[in-house]
C-alpha cells in the first residue's frame, strides 16, 4: 500500500529537484553528504562489532545486530522528519528536497557521460580514468569495448538501486522507507563483500539488500524494456532477453536491468570481468549481441533518461488518480 499524506507528491518533487539540481559540488564540498553520515555510522559499528578474534557465528550475529540498529535508526530519523514537516505544499517541497539528496538521476547521468566524453577528448586512457570512478574493475585491463561495457552496466545497475529502488520505498513508506533503503544499500556496498573480513559480519547486510531490491530491480528492467524504441530497439526483444538472461547474473537483482539494457541496445554485456582481486568469469547477457562500443554509452544514456521520464510520468499519474 502506498504511503499517504501526499507522499506521491513528495516523490514527484524529489524527482524534479534531483533532475534540476542533482548533487552540487559546491554544497557537498562544504558539508558532508547524508550518505557520508550513513557511511561513518556503518564504519563505526563495523569497527566495534567485527573483531578478527571472534568466531564466525558471533561475527554473523553482530552483523545482524548492526543491521537492526542501522535500519531502526533510519526509520526513527525518517519518522521524525515526517513529523516535523506537516502535510501541505511547503512540507511536500521540503520533504521532496530532502528526498532528492538520496536519489541519483542527475549524478549518475553526469558520471557516465564523462566516460562517453572522455573517449572523444582523450581516447582510451582518458576513458579508463573516467570509468574507474564508477566501477571497481581494473581499468588498465579494459580495452575500448570493456570500458564501454562497464559504463553501460553501471548505468543499468545504478538505475535500479540508485533511482528506482529509493523512489519505490519513498512512495511506499515515505521518508522512513527511503532513508532505511539507502542505509541498507550503503551497508551492502561497505560490508556486504565475500571476503575474509566481511563474509560473516556482512551477511545480513547483503541478504537484506537483495530483499529490498527484489521488486525494484524487476521494475527497472521493465522500464528499460518499455523505452527500448528510443534507441531503435524492440520492447519485446529487450523483455525476452531480460526474462531469459537475468538469472545468469551472479546478483539476484542486477541481472534484470542489465539484461534488459543489453536487449534494448543489441549488445552483449557482463561476461568475464577483471577486478583487482582477480578475474570474474561470468556468462554474457544477450550473448548473441554485438560487442559494445563507445557510441553505445550515449545510446544507454538515452535509454536511461527515457526510463527516468517514464518513471516520473507513472508516479505523477498515480498521484493524480489516488
Amino acid at each position: 500500500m502506498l504511503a499517504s499524506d501526499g507522499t506521491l507528491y513528495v516523490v514527484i518533487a524529489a524527482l524534479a529537484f534531483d533532475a534540476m539540481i542533482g548533487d552540487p559540488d559546491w554544497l557537498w564540498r562544504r558539508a558532508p553528504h547524508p550518505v557520508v553520515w550513513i557511511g561513518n555510522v556503518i564504519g563505526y559499528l563495523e569497527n566495534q562489532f567485527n573483531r578478527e578474534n571472534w568466531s564466525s557465528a558471533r561475527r554473523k550475529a553482530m552483523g545482524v545486530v548492526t543491521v537492526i540498529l542501522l535500519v531502526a535508526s533510519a526509520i526513527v530519523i525518517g519518522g521524525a522528519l515526517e513529523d516535523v514537516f506537516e502535510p501541505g505544499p511547503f512540507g511536500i517541497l521540503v520533504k521532496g528536497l530532502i528526498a532528492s539528496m538520496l536519489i541519483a538521476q542527475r549524478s549518475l547521468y553526469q558520471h557516465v557521460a564523462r566516460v562517453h566524453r572522455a573517449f572523444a577528448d582523450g581516447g582510451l586512457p582518458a576513458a579508463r580514468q573516467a570509468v574507474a570512478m564508477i566501477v571497481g574493475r581494473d581499468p588498465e585491463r579494459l580495452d575500448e569495448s570493456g570500458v564501454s561495457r562497464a559504463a553501460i552496466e553501471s548505468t543499468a545497475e545504478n538505475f535500479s538501486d540508485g533511482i528506482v529502488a529509493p523512489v519505490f520505498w519513498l512512495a511506499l513508506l515515505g521518508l522512513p522507507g527511503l532513508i532505511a533503503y539507502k542505509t541498507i544499500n550503503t551497508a551492502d556496498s561497505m560490508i556486504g563483500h565475500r571476503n575474509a573480513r566481511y563474509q560473516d559480519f556482512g551477511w545480513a547486510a547483503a541478504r537484506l539488500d537483495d530483499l529490498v531490491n527484489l521488486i525494484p530491480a524487476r521494475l527497472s528492467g521493465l522500464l528499460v524494456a518499455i523505452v527500448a524504441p528510443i534507441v531503435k530497439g524492440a520492447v519485446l526483444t529487450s523483455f525476452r532477453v531480460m526474462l531469459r538472461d537475468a538469472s545468469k547474473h551472479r546478483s539476484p537483482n542486477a541481472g534484470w536491468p542489465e539484461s534488459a539494457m543489453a536487449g534494448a541496445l543489441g549488445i552483449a554485456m557482463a561476461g568475464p570481468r577483471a577486478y583487482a582481486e582477480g578475474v570474474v568469469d561470468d556468462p554474457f547477457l544477450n550473448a548473441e549481441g554485438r560487442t559494445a562500443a563507445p557510441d553505445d554509452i550515449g545510446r544507454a544514456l538515452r535509454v536511461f533518461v527515457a526510463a527516468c521520464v517514464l518513471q516520473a510520468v507513472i508516479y505523477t499519474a498515480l498521484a493524480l488518480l489516488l
Side-chain angles (χ1 to χ4, degrees), residues 300-322:
L301 286 172
R302 291 199 293 276
V303 171
F304 168 73
V305 170
C308 287
V309 171
L310 177 59
Q311 176 183 239
V313 168
I314 291 171
Y315 280 111
T316 301
L318 287 172
L320 295 175
L321 290 172
L322 301 178

Side-chain angles (χ1 to χ4, degrees), residues 53 60 181 193 291:
N53 60 333
K60 181 175 282 191
Y181 170 78
H193 305 292
T291 301

Side-chain angles (χ1 to χ4, degrees), residues 102-105 108 152-169 181-182 185 209-210 212-224 251-258 261 304 307-308 311:
L102 300 178
I103 300 171
Q105 294 173 120
L108 177 57
I152 295 166
E153 289 165 13
S154 181
T155 304
E157 182 177 0
N158 285 294
F159 173 60
S160 177
D161 60 21
I163 298 157
V164 175
V167 171
F168 174 83
W169 288 107
Y181 170 78
K182 203 65 184 179
N185 190 243
D209 185 71
D210 288 343
V212 296
N213 279 296
L214 202 66
I215 295 174
R218 286 144 183 83
L219 289 176
S220 302
L222 184 59
L223 289 169
V224 168
S251 164
N253 296 315
W256 292 84
E258 287 190 24
M261 182 70 81
F304 168 73
C308 287
Q311 176 183 239

Side-chain angles (χ1 to χ4, degrees), residues 109-123 126-127 130 297 301:
Y109 181 93
Q110 290 172 331
H111 280 93
V112 177
R114 287 191 190 105
V115 182
H116 191 211
R117 288 196 303 271
F119 272 114
D121 297 340
I297 302 174
L301 286 172

Side-chain angles (χ1 to χ4, degrees), residues 59-146:
R59 293 173 81 173
K60 181 175 282 191
M62 294 312 297
V64 172
V65 170
T66 296
V67 169
I68 291 172
L69 289 173
L70 289 168
V71 174
S73 300
I75 292 172
V76 169
I77 292 170
L81 290 171
E82 291 277 9
D83 290 339
V84 168
F85 302 106
E86 295 297 326
F90 178 74
I92 287 171
L93 288 175
V94 174
K95 287 189 283 189
L97 184 60
I98 293 170
S100 72
M101 300 176 189
L102 300 178
I103 300 171
Q105 294 173 120
R106 189 180 182 92
S107 62
L108 177 57
Y109 181 93
Q110 290 172 331
H111 280 93
V112 177
R114 287 191 190 105
V115 182
H116 191 211
R117 288 196 303 271
F119 272 114
D121 297 340
L124 181 58
R128 283 171 171 165
Q129 290 182 350
V131 84
M133 302 299 292
I134 58 175
V135 299
R137 301 172 201 186
D138 181 358
E140 296 307 315
R141 300 177 67 178
L142 295 175
D143 58 11
E144 189 174 88
S145 174

